Amino acid sequence: MDSFQIFTTSTSLVDSVDKKLLVVLRDGRKLIGILRSFDQFANLVLQDTIERIYVGDAYGDIPRGIFIIRGENVVLLGEIDLDKEDESPLREVPVEEILQVQREEMELRVKREKIKNRMLSDQGFSVDQAEFGDLY
Amino acid sequence: MLFYSFFKTLVGQPVTVELKNDLAITGVLVSVDQFLNIKLDNIKVVDEERYPHMLAVKNCFIRGSVVRYVQLPAPSVDTALLQDAARRERQQPAAARR
């Protein structure tokens, strides 16, 4: 391998520096901020970051500030199309409201999962007790 | 580096990348690097209703480690050539490849 090829991640992320990006993390969180720095592992520095929580057709923002994200937790980085963002069918709701709705949805999911697991184990299947949601 | 070289030949082609969280994204392959990180342009999420956060995103960088599958356009894959390349890579001693 020629040494100039080792840093090819930089050739692909360097155009995204100083732009507003959506970062999806492995735990399902969505962060929106300005990319200030990165390296070959996709470790990232985000400035003026907000965490955006989506439930159904609603979303809510929590201001978070500066993030240094360890690369292994990054799923994808998307550049936000400002035109498309304006015509989005989603509606913004206050943080407290979205957190409440998110909690309710989570409880519903846990309840459904419990029922499913009970039915499976009644049928003699072994149920994977791995932590909920980590597919990676 | 075989698959890296292979993906480089597919730049400009439409591909569908399925991630380990079941999110599937179709788009034009823009670039790929040695970790098989993938950059896509003009993206469209296969099941948009489930992933509303992707609506406003036009291009994206996907970390190679979270990719489960890449679906390729069949006409642009020459399996005979790939097989041959795999054999050649196997025969060459690692030192000679550098």
Side-chain angles (χ1 to χ4, degrees):
Chain A
M1 261 343 281
D2 299 311
S3 57
F4 67 86
Q5 273 189 300
I6 284 172
F7 263 84
T8 43
T9 316
S10 32
T11 54
S12 63
L13 280 182
V14 79
D15 331 325
S16 300
V17 169
D18 296 339
K19 288 199 177 125
K20 192 177 164 189
L21 295 182
L22 167 85
V23 180
V24 180
L25 300 183
R26 265 181 359 166
D27 62 1
R29 271 192 262 203
K30 286 99 192 169
L31 304 176
I32 298 176
I34 301 164
L35 182 68
R36 291 301 188 194
S37 191
F38 65 89
D39 65 10
Q40 74 270 37
F41 306 112
N43 293 323
L44 307 173
V45 177
L46 289 185
Q47 192 188 23
D48 297 331
T49 316
I50 54 164
E51 178 180 346
R52 185 163 283 182
I53 297 171
Y54 293 83
V55 182
D57 68 340
Y59 69 85
D61 293 341
I62 308 170
R64 294 287 195 203
I66 291 194
F67 268 94
I68 300 176
I69 304 168
R70 188 173 159 91
E72 62 179 335
N73 300 298
V74 173
V75 173
L76 65 85
L77 289 99
E79 204 176 299
I80 291 175
D81 186 338
L82 297 168
D83 299 332
K84 276 192 186 169
E85 196 183 24
D86 289 339
E87 62 199 40
S88 163
L90 305 174
R91 61 192 170 87
E92 183 168 4
V93 299
V95 186
E96 298 77 25
E97 195 176 316
I98 201 78
L99 286 173
Q100 175 66 26
V101 186
Q102 190 191 34
R103 196 160 40 238
E104 285 165 11
E105 211 203 42
M106 193 62 184
E107 281 163 8
L108 196 72
R109 245 183 29 212
V110 171
K111 213 182 278 174
R112 264 201 227 118
E113 196 73 5
K114 263 191 189 149
I115 295 172
K116 202 173 87 187
N117 286 355
R118 191 160 346 105
M119 286 168 85
L120 280 172
S121 76
D122 286 349
Q123 299 284 322
F125 289 98
S126 109
V127 178
D128 188 5
Q129 295 290 348
E131 202 190 315
F132 199 44
D134 195 9
L135 304 144
Y136 299 92
Chain B
M1 298 310 279
L2 200 153
F3 282 90
Y4 168 54
S5 317
F6 170 59
F7 275 112
K8 274 204 296 189
T9 69
L10 293 168
V11 166
Q13 306 274 358
V15 297
T16 301
V17 181
E18 185 185 320
L19 309 188
K20 290 181 192 169
N21 60 0
D22 294 336
L23 172 64
I25 307 170
T26 307
V28 176
L29 187 66
V30 175
S31 71
V32 66
D33 65 19
Q34 79 276 24
F35 303 116
L36 305 188
N37 294 331
I38 287 173
K39 232 185 157 188
L40 297 179
D41 206 354
N42 267 326
I43 64 158
K44 189 133 185 71
V45 171
V46 174
D47 185 1
E48 272 181 330
E49 302 215 332
R50 265 184 73 197
Y51 305 98
H53 58 279
M54 297 301 289
L55 281 173
V57 178
K58 53 181 173 180
N59 59 50
C60 71
F61 167 92
I62 302 165
R63 200 169 189 268
S65 63
V66 304
V67 173
R68 186 185 289 140
Y69 302 120
V70 184
Q71 297 171 27
L72 310 168
S76 43
V77 182
D78 185 344
T79 46
L81 193 72
L82 263 182
Q83 205 174 25
D84 197 45
R87 218 169 268 134
R88 257 184 289 124
E89 185 149 298
R90 178 74 189 81
Q91 275 166 3
Q92 267 172 22
R97 258 186 274 141
R98 286 178 197 275

